[in-house]
Amino acid sequence: MIAAFCLAPAVALFAAFWLLPMARLAALPAAGGWAAYAAVLTEPRYLRSLLQTTGLSLAVTAAALLLAAGVGLYLGRRRFAGRRLLLSVLTLPLSFPGVVVAFFVILIGGRQGPVASISESLFGERITFAYGFAGLFLAYLYFSLPRAVAAFTAAAETLEPQLEEAARSLGASRWQVAVDVWLPALAPTAMASGAMIFATAMGAFGTAFTLASRFEVLPITIYNEFTNYANFKTAASLSLALGLMTWAVLFIAQRVAARPAGAVA
């Protein structure tokens, strides 16, 4: 009885703020039949937006994991003066919202930024990169790296130096040590961090809203559909597609990361 009384507020909140909105979201495209649910795959504009968003998210995930793994291994395996300060500085981007991060990119690569001024002096043309794929990539990478660096640093701190020493004593090269010792130990961290980076990049809105004037991504497409065109059915369909895709990536990553080493699916 006491347990039921304690669970009641949580169940009520879950039903009010997740179950009911999700049910409404799933039911909105029903009037248009299955074609409304499949709009993201059948309409060229929506499909292009989905593919662009997915490609951008994959690129950001790959770059963030590579950079974070290198930085995390270095910081996790070494002790030096100022290490804690460096770690705190590297996590500083977490304190900025997406709009501020986008503003940083505009300050560098926008129409009034130094890149445009220098390119005009050299080539007679103001070159900007803030409002397309490159600007979004840099902005997403900027706010994705701190989390990944922190995760890889923590994982690298748990690496057993005896394993690396044993591999080297057996004649393993630096590359073989990386593949046989570091990679298996860091794989769960890479899987979990990569899934979170991908999901965050797929759903990022504030940064995209500020920068995506030349490169449309799915959150902006959804926003335009229900705000500018009052096309709630299509917006709901696109939202479902985005949610299912990111949920699938997170679910698969969780299952793979939780699988014991050497387990067979």
Side-chain angles (χ1 to χ4, degrees), residues 113-126:
V115 173
S117 301
I118 293 172
S119 63
E120 185 178 30
S121 301
L122 295 176
F123 311 112
E125 180 183 358
R126 299 183 72 84

Side-chain angles (χ1 to χ4, degrees), residues 74-98:
Y74 182 84
L75 294 177
R77 290 157 47 84
R78 287 171 172 79
R79 297 294 182 270
F80 53 87
R83 177 177 176 273
R84 291 186 178 276
L85 177 61
L86 179 58
L87 278 170
S88 65
V89 170
L90 289 174
T91 57
L92 186 62
L94 293 175
S95 62
F96 296 117

Side-chain angles (χ1 to χ4, degrees), residues 105-259:
V105 175
I106 292 174
L107 288 176
I108 300 299
R111 297 179 182 90
Q112 306 301 322
V115 173
S117 301
I118 293 172
S119 63
E120 185 178 30
S121 301
L122 295 176
F123 311 112
E125 180 183 358
R126 299 183 72 84
I127 297 175
T128 62
F129 64 81
Y131 311 103
F133 177 88
L136 285 168
F137 174 83
L138 291 175
Y140 286 12
L141 185 63
Y142 181 82
F143 65 67
S144 297
L145 269 176
R147 296 179 179 86
V149 167
F152 274 105
T153 300
E157 289 175 345
T158 65
L159 289 175
E160 298 181 10
Q162 296 84 354
L163 294 177
E164 183 176 343
E165 292 171 3
R168 292 190 183 280
S169 67
L170 294 173
S173 64
R174 182 176 293 273
W175 173 253
Q176 288 173 320
V177 170
V179 172
D180 297 332
V181 179
W182 295 350
L183 184 60
L186 297 178
T189 300
M191 183 64 66
S193 297
M196 289 303 299
I197 292 170
F198 179 82
T200 302
M202 286 290 292
F205 178 77
T207 306
F209 186 79
T210 309
L211 295 176
S213 59
R214 302 176 187 169
F215 189 88
E216 187 172 3
V217 291
L218 200 55
I220 302 302
T221 304
I222 295 170
Y223 173 82
N224 287 332
E225 288 299 321
F226 75 77
T227 301
N228 298 331
Y229 312 124
N231 192 352
F232 298 107
K233 295 182 178 63
T234 301
S237 175
L238 300 179
S239 299
L240 289 171
L242 179 63
L244 287 173
M245 187 171 182
T246 53
W247 173 82
V249 170
L250 291 171
F251 177 78
I252 293 171
Q254 184 181 23
R255 292 292 300 272
V256 172
R259 185 181 302 165

